[in-house]
């Protein structure tokens, strides 16, 4: 798939050219070979629309209290995955646990100022829900403030496949140097978590669950049992279309079952408004995923070529790789490949049976 437009390419090229300073410092820190190329998928994954409001002029982002000492820092709403992502934080007896760090150092600083409107306690921990740049490129701000990073050790994403320098270059081309000033990677965990773990941080219990490869191979969900608050990362998006391009639709279904079983009172999605009813958003996400799986499974079984299978879906939005239609289409490509694998390994019947059981509750 090619989503890279001339304007995005121009912006990327400008970003790459202007980026010598940032890339050099990132290289120095990570000791990796420079790369100035991006394939179209990486560029597409990176070229999200970002909010026009500059974070360095914002005193604080809007906040929503999710439970005792637990807050959502609200990103853009009504834009699906296209706007600024959400972040969260939890105030404990001894300090603050931040959940996700937004897309740039400038956004990270605005997030820190937002936290400071609630508490002056030290920033002790940063938990990352996954390794997509729009959720961790502000992490260095919290690291420099003294936080230890808790994350899944698997950093692989489509955006990173050309290497860290290319990812930073492309991201800088999209956001601009001003937003990225002071950038360094800070998503390598001080505390790696690759299986379900209960942590006591500042006297408060955090359950960090590892649902497996769903949105990405490095997904974590954060559950506060005392408040029944869930920080879902990009397993949930406000419009019910979670991306599986870096992950797996069957993994997403498993992950959705797990977070549904927690029966959260509040769930913060990775992007968009906090739902009035978290279970309804989980349900909607499941039904969207099941619907696309059923369609792709049928097409694969009937030998329909991928291009024809895609032709019956709404067209992707030009220059908007993570618009709703574009997400559905990119998910369809991934799911088609999953269904081919299932057919190849003769697991498609069992998978179809369990999908149709789950689908009973979905409206036609
Ligand atoms: Zn993501």
């Amino acid at each position: 798939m090619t989503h890279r437009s001339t304007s995005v390419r121009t912006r990327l090229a400008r970003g790459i050219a202007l980026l010598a300073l940032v890339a050099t410092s990132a290289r120095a820190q990570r000791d990796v070979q420079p790369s100035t190329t991006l394939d179209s998928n990486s560029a597409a994954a990176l070229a999200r629309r970002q909010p026009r409001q500059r974070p360095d002029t914002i005193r604080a982002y809007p906040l929503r209290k999710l439970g005792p000492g637990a807050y959502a820092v609200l990103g853009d709403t009504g834009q699906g995955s296209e706007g600024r992502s959400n972040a969260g934080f939890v105030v404990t007896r001894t300090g603050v646990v931040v959940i996700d760090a937004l897309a740039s150092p400038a956004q990270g600083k605005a997030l820190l100022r937002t936290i400071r409107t609630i508490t002056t306690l030290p920033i002790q921990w940063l938990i990352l829900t996954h390794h997509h740049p729009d959720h961790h490129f502000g992490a260095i701000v919290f690291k420099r403030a003294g936080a230890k990073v808790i994350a899944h050790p698997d950093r692989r994403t489509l955006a990173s496949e050309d290497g860290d320098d290319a990812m930073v270059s492309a991201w800088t081309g999209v956001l601009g140097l001003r937003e990225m000033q002071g950038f360094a990677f800070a998503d390598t965990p001080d505390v790696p978590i690759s299986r379900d773990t209960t942590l006591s941080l500042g006297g408060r219990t955090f359950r960090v669950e590892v649902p497996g490869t769903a949105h990405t191979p490095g997904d974590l969900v954060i559950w506060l049992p005392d408040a029944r608050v869930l920080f879902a990362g990009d397993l949930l998006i406000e419009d019910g279309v979670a991306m599986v391009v870096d992950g797996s639709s069957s993994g997403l279904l498993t992950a959705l079952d797990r977070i549904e079983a927690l029966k959260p009172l509040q769930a913060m999605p990775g992007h968009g408004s906090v739902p009035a009813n978290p279970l309804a958003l989980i349900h909607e996400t499941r039904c969207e995923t099941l619907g696309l799986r059923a369609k792709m499974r049928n097409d694969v079984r009937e030998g329909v070529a991928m291009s024809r299978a895609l032709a019956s879906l709404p067209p992707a939005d030009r220059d908007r790789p993570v618009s709703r239609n574009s997400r559905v289409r990119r998910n369809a490509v991934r799911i088609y490949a999953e269904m081919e694998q299932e057919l190849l390994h003769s697991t498609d019947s069992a998978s179809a049976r369990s999908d149709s059981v789950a689908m009973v509750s979905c409206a036609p």
Side-chain angles (χ1 to χ4, degrees), residues 323-355:
S323 73
R324 194 180 198 286
N325 282 353
S326 299
R327 268 178 283 144
V328 168
R329 233 181 146 77
R330 295 173 69 195
N331 279 345
V333 172
R334 171 80 206 183
I335 292 172
Y336 186 97
E338 282 181 50
M339 295 304 149
E340 280 184 319
Q341 284 301 310
E342 290 191 353
L343 193 67
L344 197 67
H345 299 293
S346 305
T347 52
D348 65 320
S349 302
S351 147
R353 269 196 302 279
S354 82
D355 276 16

PDB file of all heavy atoms in Angstrom, residues 323-355:
ATOM      1  N   SER A 323      -7.160   7.478   9.199  1.00  0.00           N
ATOM      2  CA  SER A 323      -8.593   7.819   9.245  1.00  0.00           C
ATOM      3  C   SER A 323      -9.360   6.519   9.455  1.00  0.00           C
ATOM      4  O   SER A 323      -8.806   5.419   9.294  1.00  0.00           O
ATOM      5  CB  SER A 323      -9.033   8.480   7.938  1.00  0.00           C
ATOM      6  OG  SER A 323      -9.091   7.492   6.911  1.00  0.00           O
ATOM      7  N   ARG A 324     -10.638   6.614   9.771  1.00  0.00           N
ATOM      8  CA  ARG A 324     -11.408   5.390  10.047  1.00  0.00           C
ATOM      9  C   ARG A 324     -11.384   4.451   8.835  1.00  0.00           C
ATOM     10  O   ARG A 324     -11.073   3.268   8.966  1.00  0.00           O
ATOM     11  CB  ARG A 324     -12.848   5.764  10.399  1.00  0.00           C
ATOM     12  CG  ARG A 324     -13.623   4.615  11.015  1.00  0.00           C
ATOM     13  CD  ARG A 324     -15.040   5.045  11.329  1.00  0.00           C
ATOM     14  NE  ARG A 324     -15.678   4.152  12.279  1.00  0.00           N
ATOM     15  CZ  ARG A 324     -16.123   2.929  11.994  1.00  0.00           C
ATOM     16  NH1 ARG A 324     -16.005   2.453  10.771  1.00  0.00           N
ATOM     17  NH2 ARG A 324     -16.680   2.180  12.918  1.00  0.00           N
ATOM     18  N   ASN A 325     -11.714   4.989   7.668  1.00  0.00           N
ATOM     19  CA  ASN A 325     -11.725   4.131   6.470  1.00  0.00           C
ATOM     20  C   ASN A 325     -10.347   3.535   6.188  1.00  0.00           C
ATOM     21  O   ASN A 325     -10.229   2.374   5.797  1.00  0.00           O
ATOM     22  CB  ASN A 325     -12.180   4.926   5.235  1.00  0.00           C
ATOM     23  CG  ASN A 325     -13.690   5.108   5.217  1.00  0.00           C
ATOM     24  OD1 ASN A 325     -14.401   4.533   6.039  1.00  0.00           O
ATOM     25  ND2 ASN A 325     -14.169   5.911   4.283  1.00  0.00           N
ATOM     26  N   SER A 326      -9.318   4.348   6.367  1.00  0.00           N
ATOM     27  CA  SER A 326      -7.965   3.851   6.094  1.00  0.00           C
ATOM     28  C   SER A 326      -7.580   2.761   7.091  1.00  0.00           C
ATOM     29  O   SER A 326      -6.953   1.761   6.726  1.00  0.00           O
ATOM     30  CB  SER A 326      -6.950   4.999   6.148  1.00  0.00           C
ATOM     31  OG  SER A 326      -7.256   5.967   5.165  1.00  0.00           O
ATOM     32  N   ARG A 327      -7.986   2.941   8.347  1.00  0.00           N
ATOM     33  CA  ARG A 327      -7.696   1.903   9.353  1.00  0.00           C
ATOM     34  C   ARG A 327      -8.399   0.594   9.006  1.00  0.00           C
ATOM     35  O   ARG A 327      -7.808  -0.477   9.087  1.00  0.00           O
ATOM     36  CB  ARG A 327      -8.138   2.371  10.748  1.00  0.00           C
ATOM     37  CG  ARG A 327      -7.044   3.073  11.538  1.00  0.00           C
ATOM     38  CD  ARG A 327      -7.572   3.537  12.884  1.00  0.00           C
ATOM     39  NE  ARG A 327      -8.374   4.737  12.739  1.00  0.00           N
ATOM     40  CZ  ARG A 327      -9.465   5.039  13.435  1.00  0.00           C
ATOM     41  NH1 ARG A 327      -9.920   4.210  14.344  1.00  0.00           N
ATOM     42  NH2 ARG A 327     -10.107   6.165  13.235  1.00  0.00           N
ATOM     43  N   VAL A 328      -9.670   0.703   8.621  1.00  0.00           N
ATOM     44  CA  VAL A 328     -10.422  -0.514   8.276  1.00  0.00           C
ATOM     45  C   VAL A 328      -9.728  -1.228   7.124  1.00  0.00           C
ATOM     46  O   VAL A 328      -9.534  -2.448   7.134  1.00  0.00           O
ATOM     47  CB  VAL A 328     -11.883  -0.166   7.904  1.00  0.00           C
ATOM     48  CG1 VAL A 328     -12.574  -1.361   7.261  1.00  0.00           C
ATOM     49  CG2 VAL A 328     -12.654   0.300   9.137  1.00  0.00           C
ATOM     50  N   ARG A 329      -9.327  -0.473   6.143  1.00  0.00           N
ATOM     51  CA  ARG A 329      -8.689  -1.063   4.964  1.00  0.00           C
ATOM     52  C   ARG A 329      -7.342  -1.704   5.295  1.00  0.00           C
ATOM     53  O   ARG A 329      -7.034  -2.799   4.822  1.00  0.00           O
ATOM     54  CB  ARG A 329      -8.481   0.051   3.933  1.00  0.00           C
ATOM     55  CG  ARG A 329      -9.055  -0.275   2.598  1.00  0.00           C
ATOM     56  CD  ARG A 329      -8.796   0.850   1.645  1.00  0.00           C
ATOM     57  NE  ARG A 329      -8.585   0.275   0.330  1.00  0.00           N
ATOM     58  CZ  ARG A 329      -9.577  -0.162  -0.431  1.00  0.00           C
ATOM     59  NH1 ARG A 329     -10.830  -0.082  -0.025  1.00  0.00           N
ATOM     60  NH2 ARG A 329      -9.319  -0.686  -1.613  1.00  0.00           N
ATOM     61  N   ARG A 330      -6.570  -1.009   6.101  1.00  0.00           N
ATOM     62  CA  ARG A 330      -5.260  -1.566   6.465  1.00  0.00           C
ATOM     63  C   ARG A 330      -5.442  -2.788   7.368  1.00  0.00           C
ATOM     64  O   ARG A 330      -4.702  -3.773   7.242  1.00  0.00           O
ATOM     65  CB  ARG A 330      -4.405  -0.484   7.146  1.00  0.00           C
ATOM     66  CG  ARG A 330      -4.062   0.658   6.186  1.00  0.00           C
ATOM     67  CD  ARG A 330      -3.370   1.792   6.888  1.00  0.00           C
ATOM     68  NE  ARG A 330      -2.032   1.403   7.328  1.00  0.00           N
ATOM     69  CZ  ARG A 330      -1.317   2.091   8.205  1.00  0.00           C
ATOM     70  NH1 ARG A 330      -1.806   3.196   8.741  1.00  0.00           N
ATOM     71  NH2 ARG A 330      -0.121   1.689   8.546  1.00  0.00           N
ATOM     72  N   ASN A 331      -6.432  -2.740   8.243  1.00  0.00           N
ATOM     73  CA  ASN A 331      -6.741  -3.927   9.046  1.00  0.00           C
ATOM     74  C   ASN A 331      -7.148  -5.087   8.146  1.00  0.00           C
ATOM     75  O   ASN A 331      -6.777  -6.243   8.393  1.00  0.00           O
ATOM     76  CB  ASN A 331      -7.881  -3.633  10.026  1.00  0.00           C
ATOM     77  CG  ASN A 331      -7.411  -2.906  11.274  1.00  0.00           C
ATOM     78  OD1 ASN A 331      -6.218  -2.852  11.564  1.00  0.00           O
ATOM     79  ND2 ASN A 331      -8.349  -2.350  12.018  1.00  0.00           N
ATOM     80  N   ALA A 332      -7.924  -4.776   7.092  1.00  0.00           N
ATOM     81  CA  ALA A 332      -8.413  -5.834   6.207  1.00  0.00           C
ATOM     82  C   ALA A 332      -7.248  -6.574   5.549  1.00  0.00           C
ATOM     83  O   ALA A 332      -7.271  -7.803   5.408  1.00  0.00           O
ATOM     84  CB  ALA A 332      -9.327  -5.234   5.138  1.00  0.00           C
ATOM     85  N   VAL A 333      -6.212  -5.827   5.176  1.00  0.00           N
ATOM     86  CA  VAL A 333      -5.031  -6.453   4.560  1.00  0.00           C
ATOM     87  C   VAL A 333      -4.392  -7.430   5.537  1.00  0.00           C
ATOM     88  O   VAL A 333      -4.063  -8.572   5.202  1.00  0.00           O
ATOM     89  CB  VAL A 333      -4.004  -5.367   4.133  1.00  0.00           C
ATOM     90  CG1 VAL A 333      -2.698  -6.001   3.687  1.00  0.00           C
ATOM     91  CG2 VAL A 333      -4.584  -4.497   3.028  1.00  0.00           C
ATOM     92  N   ARG A 334      -4.254  -6.963   6.761  1.00  0.00           N
ATOM     93  CA  ARG A 334      -3.644  -7.803   7.800  1.00  0.00           C
ATOM     94  C   ARG A 334      -4.515  -9.046   8.069  1.00  0.00           C
ATOM     95  O   ARG A 334      -4.016 -10.167   8.189  1.00  0.00           O
ATOM     96  CB  ARG A 334      -3.505  -6.940   9.069  1.00  0.00           C
ATOM     97  CG  ARG A 334      -3.104  -7.680  10.304  1.00  0.00           C
ATOM     98  CD  ARG A 334      -1.629  -7.940  10.320  1.00  0.00           C
ATOM     99  NE  ARG A 334      -1.344  -9.110  11.127  1.00  0.00           N
ATOM    100  CZ  ARG A 334      -0.122  -9.564  11.376  1.00  0.00           C
ATOM    101  NH1 ARG A 334       0.926  -8.961  10.861  1.00  0.00           N
ATOM    102  NH2 ARG A 334       0.059 -10.616  12.106  1.00  0.00           N
ATOM    103  N   ILE A 335      -5.820  -8.821   8.161  1.00  0.00           N
ATOM    104  CA  ILE A 335      -6.721  -9.919   8.502  1.00  0.00           C
ATOM    105  C   ILE A 335      -6.801 -10.932   7.351  1.00  0.00           C
ATOM    106  O   ILE A 335      -6.869 -12.144   7.582  1.00  0.00           O
ATOM    107  CB  ILE A 335      -8.113  -9.367   8.896  1.00  0.00           C
ATOM    108  CG1 ILE A 335      -7.996  -8.609  10.224  1.00  0.00           C
ATOM    109  CG2 ILE A 335      -9.147 -10.484   8.997  1.00  0.00           C
ATOM    110  CD1 ILE A 335      -9.252  -7.845  10.639  1.00  0.00           C
ATOM    111  N   TYR A 336      -6.771 -10.444   6.117  1.00  0.00           N
ATOM    112  CA  TYR A 336      -6.755 -11.347   4.960  1.00  0.00           C
ATOM    113  C   TYR A 336      -5.577 -12.324   5.091  1.00  0.00           C
ATOM    114  O   TYR A 336      -5.728 -13.535   4.907  1.00  0.00           O
ATOM    115  CB  TYR A 336      -6.651 -10.515   3.679  1.00  0.00           C
ATOM    116  CG  TYR A 336      -6.765 -11.310   2.398  1.00  0.00           C
ATOM    117  CD1 TYR A 336      -7.977 -11.408   1.714  1.00  0.00           C
ATOM    118  CD2 TYR A 336      -5.653 -11.964   1.856  1.00  0.00           C
ATOM    119  CE1 TYR A 336      -8.090 -12.126   0.529  1.00  0.00           C
ATOM    120  CE2 TYR A 336      -5.742 -12.696   0.682  1.00  0.00           C
ATOM    121  CZ  TYR A 336      -6.961 -12.772   0.020  1.00  0.00           C
ATOM    122  OH  TYR A 336      -7.067 -13.490  -1.145  1.00  0.00           O
ATOM    123  N   ALA A 337      -4.409 -11.774   5.440  1.00  0.00           N
ATOM    124  CA  ALA A 337      -3.220 -12.629   5.603  1.00  0.00           C
ATOM    125  C   ALA A 337      -3.404 -13.608   6.764  1.00  0.00           C
ATOM    126  O   ALA A 337      -3.008 -14.775   6.670  1.00  0.00           O
ATOM    127  CB  ALA A 337      -1.978 -11.758   5.826  1.00  0.00           C
ATOM    128  N   GLU A 338      -4.023 -13.137   7.844  1.00  0.00           N
ATOM    129  CA  GLU A 338      -4.293 -14.049   8.972  1.00  0.00           C
ATOM    130  C   GLU A 338      -5.213 -15.185   8.539  1.00  0.00           C
ATOM    131  O   GLU A 338      -5.019 -16.342   8.923  1.00  0.00           O
ATOM    132  CB  GLU A 338      -4.975 -13.297  10.129  1.00  0.00           C
ATOM    133  CG  GLU A 338      -4.053 -12.458  10.987  1.00  0.00           C
ATOM    134  CD  GLU A 338      -4.827 -11.762  12.119  1.00  0.00           C
ATOM    135  OE1 GLU A 338      -5.583 -12.430  12.836  1.00  0.00           O
ATOM    136  OE2 GLU A 338      -4.672 -10.535  12.263  1.00  0.00           O
ATOM    137  N   MET A 339      -6.210 -14.846   7.742  1.00  0.00           N
ATOM    138  CA  MET A 339      -7.171 -15.865   7.311  1.00  0.00           C
ATOM    139  C   MET A 339      -6.525 -16.864   6.342  1.00  0.00           C
ATOM    140  O   MET A 339      -6.847 -18.053   6.365  1.00  0.00           O
ATOM    141  CB  MET A 339      -8.399 -15.198   6.671  1.00  0.00           C
ATOM    142  CG  MET A 339      -9.197 -14.371   7.652  1.00  0.00           C
ATOM    143  SD  MET A 339      -9.723 -15.359   9.085  1.00  0.00           S
ATOM    144  CE  MET A 339      -9.756 -14.136  10.361  1.00  0.00           C
ATOM    145  N   GLU A 340      -5.616 -16.368   5.525  1.00  0.00           N
ATOM    146  CA  GLU A 340      -4.862 -17.285   4.648  1.00  0.00           C
ATOM    147  C   GLU A 340      -4.083 -18.290   5.485  1.00  0.00           C
ATOM    148  O   GLU A 340      -4.037 -19.480   5.174  1.00  0.00           O
ATOM    149  CB  GLU A 340      -3.885 -16.485   3.770  1.00  0.00           C
ATOM    150  CG  GLU A 340      -4.534 -15.831   2.576  1.00  0.00           C
ATOM    151  CD  GLU A 340      -3.490 -15.129   1.701  1.00  0.00           C
ATOM    152  OE1 GLU A 340      -2.570 -14.492   2.252  1.00  0.00           O
ATOM    153  OE2 GLU A 340      -3.613 -15.214   0.473  1.00  0.00           O
ATOM    154  N   GLN A 341      -3.457 -17.792   6.550  1.00  0.00           N
ATOM    155  CA  GLN A 341      -2.691 -18.676   7.442  1.00  0.00           C
ATOM    156  C   GLN A 341      -3.600 -19.714   8.084  1.00  0.00           C
ATOM    157  O   GLN A 341      -3.240 -20.884   8.195  1.00  0.00           O
ATOM    158  CB  GLN A 341      -1.991 -17.848   8.538  1.00  0.00           C
ATOM    159  CG  GLN A 341      -0.759 -17.099   8.062  1.00  0.00           C
ATOM    160  CD  GLN A 341       0.289 -18.044   7.490  1.00  0.00           C
ATOM    161  OE1 GLN A 341       0.653 -19.034   8.115  1.00  0.00           O
ATOM    162  NE2 GLN A 341       0.761 -17.755   6.287  1.00  0.00           N
ATOM    163  N   GLU A 342      -4.771 -19.247   8.519  1.00  0.00           N
ATOM    164  CA  GLU A 342      -5.716 -20.183   9.154  1.00  0.00           C
ATOM    165  C   GLU A 342      -6.140 -21.277   8.178  1.00  0.00           C
ATOM    166  O   GLU A 342      -6.211 -22.452   8.535  1.00  0.00           O
ATOM    167  CB  GLU A 342      -6.950 -19.431   9.672  1.00  0.00           C
ATOM    168  CG  GLU A 342      -6.639 -18.556  10.870  1.00  0.00           C
ATOM    169  CD  GLU A 342      -7.894 -18.025  11.555  1.00  0.00           C
ATOM    170  OE1 GLU A 342      -9.010 -18.230  11.027  1.00  0.00           O
ATOM    171  OE2 GLU A 342      -7.755 -17.407  12.627  1.00  0.00           O
ATOM    172  N   LEU A 343      -6.404 -20.860   6.940  1.00  0.00           N
ATOM    173  CA  LEU A 343      -6.825 -21.835   5.929  1.00  0.00           C
ATOM    174  C   LEU A 343      -5.686 -22.832   5.661  1.00  0.00           C
ATOM    175  O   LEU A 343      -5.893 -24.041   5.578  1.00  0.00           O
ATOM    176  CB  LEU A 343      -7.225 -21.109   4.646  1.00  0.00           C
ATOM    177  CG  LEU A 343      -7.967 -21.934   3.604  1.00  0.00           C
ATOM    178  CD1 LEU A 343      -9.354 -22.322   4.125  1.00  0.00           C
ATOM    179  CD2 LEU A 343      -8.130 -21.163   2.299  1.00  0.00           C
ATOM    180  N   LEU A 344      -4.498 -22.275   5.576  1.00  0.00           N
ATOM    181  CA  LEU A 344      -3.315 -23.087   5.309  1.00  0.00           C
ATOM    182  C   LEU A 344      -3.099 -24.133   6.400  1.00  0.00           C
ATOM    183  O   LEU A 344      -2.706 -25.263   6.132  1.00  0.00           O
ATOM    184  CB  LEU A 344      -2.103 -22.147   5.231  1.00  0.00           C
ATOM    185  CG  LEU A 344      -0.836 -22.656   4.587  1.00  0.00           C
ATOM    186  CD1 LEU A 344      -1.075 -22.883   3.086  1.00  0.00           C
ATOM    187  CD2 LEU A 344       0.295 -21.627   4.752  1.00  0.00           C
ATOM    188  N   HIS A 345      -3.345 -23.738   7.628  1.00  0.00           N
ATOM    189  CA  HIS A 345      -3.114 -24.644   8.753  1.00  0.00           C
ATOM    190  C   HIS A 345      -4.402 -25.338   9.212  1.00  0.00           C
ATOM    191  O   HIS A 345      -4.445 -25.915  10.297  1.00  0.00           O
ATOM    192  CB  HIS A 345      -2.465 -23.892   9.914  1.00  0.00           C
ATOM    193  CG  HIS A 345      -1.127 -23.303   9.563  1.00  0.00           C
ATOM    194  ND1 HIS A 345      -0.028 -24.089   9.296  1.00  0.00           N
ATOM    195  CD2 HIS A 345      -0.725 -22.025   9.379  1.00  0.00           C
ATOM    196  CE1 HIS A 345       1.000 -23.304   8.981  1.00  0.00           C
ATOM    197  NE2 HIS A 345       0.600 -22.053   9.013  1.00  0.00           N
ATOM    198  N   SER A 346      -5.441 -25.226   8.401  1.00  0.00           N
ATOM    199  CA  SER A 346      -6.736 -25.879   8.684  1.00  0.00           C
ATOM    200  C   SER A 346      -7.305 -25.514  10.048  1.00  0.00           C
ATOM    201  O   SER A 346      -7.938 -26.330  10.707  1.00  0.00           O
ATOM    202  CB  SER A 346      -6.598 -27.405   8.589  1.00  0.00           C
ATOM    203  OG  SER A 346      -6.071 -27.750   7.347  1.00  0.00           O
ATOM    204  N   THR A 347      -7.026 -24.278  10.471  1.00  0.00           N
ATOM    205  CA  THR A 347      -7.616 -23.831  11.747  1.00  0.00           C
ATOM    206  C   THR A 347      -8.771 -22.870  11.492  1.00  0.00           C
ATOM    207  O   THR A 347      -9.337 -22.319  12.425  1.00  0.00           O
ATOM    208  CB  THR A 347      -6.561 -23.128  12.632  1.00  0.00           C
ATOM    209  OG1 THR A 347      -5.938 -22.107  11.853  1.00  0.00           O
ATOM    210  CG2 THR A 347      -5.512 -24.097  13.127  1.00  0.00           C
ATOM    211  N   ASP A 348      -9.122 -22.703  10.202  1.00  0.00           N
ATOM    212  CA  ASP A 348     -10.142 -21.684   9.904  1.00  0.00           C
ATOM    213  C   ASP A 348     -11.533 -22.087  10.382  1.00  0.00           C
ATOM    214  O   ASP A 348     -12.320 -21.240  10.783  1.00  0.00           O
ATOM    215  CB  ASP A 348     -10.153 -21.325   8.419  1.00  0.00           C
ATOM    216  CG  ASP A 348     -10.558 -22.484   7.539  1.00  0.00           C
ATOM    217  OD1 ASP A 348     -10.127 -23.615   7.820  1.00  0.00           O
ATOM    218  OD2 ASP A 348     -11.315 -22.260   6.583  1.00  0.00           O
ATOM    219  N   SER A 349     -11.835 -23.386  10.400  1.00  0.00           N
ATOM    220  CA  SER A 349     -13.170 -23.802  10.842  1.00  0.00           C
ATOM    221  C   SER A 349     -13.366 -23.523  12.329  1.00  0.00           C
ATOM    222  O   SER A 349     -14.382 -22.963  12.744  1.00  0.00           O
ATOM    223  CB  SER A 349     -13.383 -25.288  10.592  1.00  0.00           C
ATOM    224  OG  SER A 349     -13.205 -25.554   9.233  1.00  0.00           O
ATOM    225  N   ALA A 350     -12.357 -23.885  13.127  1.00  0.00           N
ATOM    226  CA  ALA A 350     -12.459 -23.645  14.569  1.00  0.00           C
ATOM    227  C   ALA A 350     -12.547 -22.151  14.843  1.00  0.00           C
ATOM    228  O   ALA A 350     -13.346 -21.700  15.678  1.00  0.00           O
ATOM    229  CB  ALA A 350     -11.244 -24.242  15.275  1.00  0.00           C
ATOM    230  N   SER A 351     -11.740 -21.396  14.110  1.00  0.00           N
ATOM    231  CA  SER A 351     -11.730 -19.950  14.300  1.00  0.00           C
ATOM    232  C   SER A 351     -13.082 -19.353  13.891  1.00  0.00           C
ATOM    233  O   SER A 351     -13.629 -18.487  14.579  1.00  0.00           O
ATOM    234  CB  SER A 351     -10.571 -19.375  13.491  1.00  0.00           C
ATOM    235  OG  SER A 351     -10.838 -18.112  12.998  1.00  0.00           O
ATOM    236  N   ALA A 352     -13.651 -19.852  12.801  1.00  0.00           N
ATOM    237  CA  ALA A 352     -14.960 -19.359  12.341  1.00  0.00           C
ATOM    238  C   ALA A 352     -16.036 -19.691  13.369  1.00  0.00           C
ATOM    239  O   ALA A 352     -16.915 -18.883  13.642  1.00  0.00           O
ATOM    240  CB  ALA A 352     -15.306 -19.982  10.993  1.00  0.00           C
ATOM    241  N   ARG A 353     -15.950 -20.905  13.939  1.00  0.00           N
ATOM    242  CA  ARG A 353     -16.956 -21.295  14.945  1.00  0.00           C
ATOM    243  C   ARG A 353     -16.891 -20.368  16.158  1.00  0.00           C
ATOM    244  O   ARG A 353     -17.905 -19.863  16.621  1.00  0.00           O
ATOM    245  CB  ARG A 353     -16.740 -22.750  15.385  1.00  0.00           C
ATOM    246  CG  ARG A 353     -17.523 -23.766  14.548  1.00  0.00           C
ATOM    247  CD  ARG A 353     -17.583 -25.110  15.259  1.00  0.00           C
ATOM    248  NE  ARG A 353     -16.264 -25.662  15.555  1.00  0.00           N
ATOM    249  CZ  ARG A 353     -15.506 -26.315  14.659  1.00  0.00           C
ATOM    250  NH1 ARG A 353     -15.949 -26.499  13.430  1.00  0.00           N
ATOM    251  NH2 ARG A 353     -14.326 -26.788  14.997  1.00  0.00           N
ATOM    252  N   SER A 354     -15.674 -20.140  16.668  1.00  0.00           N
ATOM    253  CA  SER A 354     -15.598 -19.311  17.875  1.00  0.00           C
ATOM    254  C   SER A 354     -15.979 -17.858  17.552  1.00  0.00           C
ATOM    255  O   SER A 354     -16.603 -17.182  18.367  1.00  0.00           O
ATOM    256  CB  SER A 354     -14.235 -19.429  18.556  1.00  0.00           C
ATOM    257  OG  SER A 354     -13.309 -18.593  17.948  1.00  0.00           O
ATOM    258  N   ASP A 355     -15.651 -17.394  16.335  1.00  0.00           N
ATOM    259  CA  ASP A 355     -16.078 -16.040  15.944  1.00  0.00           C
ATOM    260  C   ASP A 355     -17.599 -15.951  15.888  1.00  0.00           C
ATOM    261  O   ASP A 355     -18.186 -14.964  16.324  1.00  0.00           O
ATOM    262  CB  ASP A 355     -15.521 -15.670  14.553  1.00  0.00           C
ATOM    263  CG  ASP A 355     -14.098 -15.121  14.634  1.00  0.00           C
ATOM    264  OD1 ASP A 355     -13.437 -15.306  15.679  1.00  0.00           O
ATOM    265  OD2 ASP A 355     -13.646 -14.513  13.635  1.00  0.00           O
TER     266      ASP A 355
END
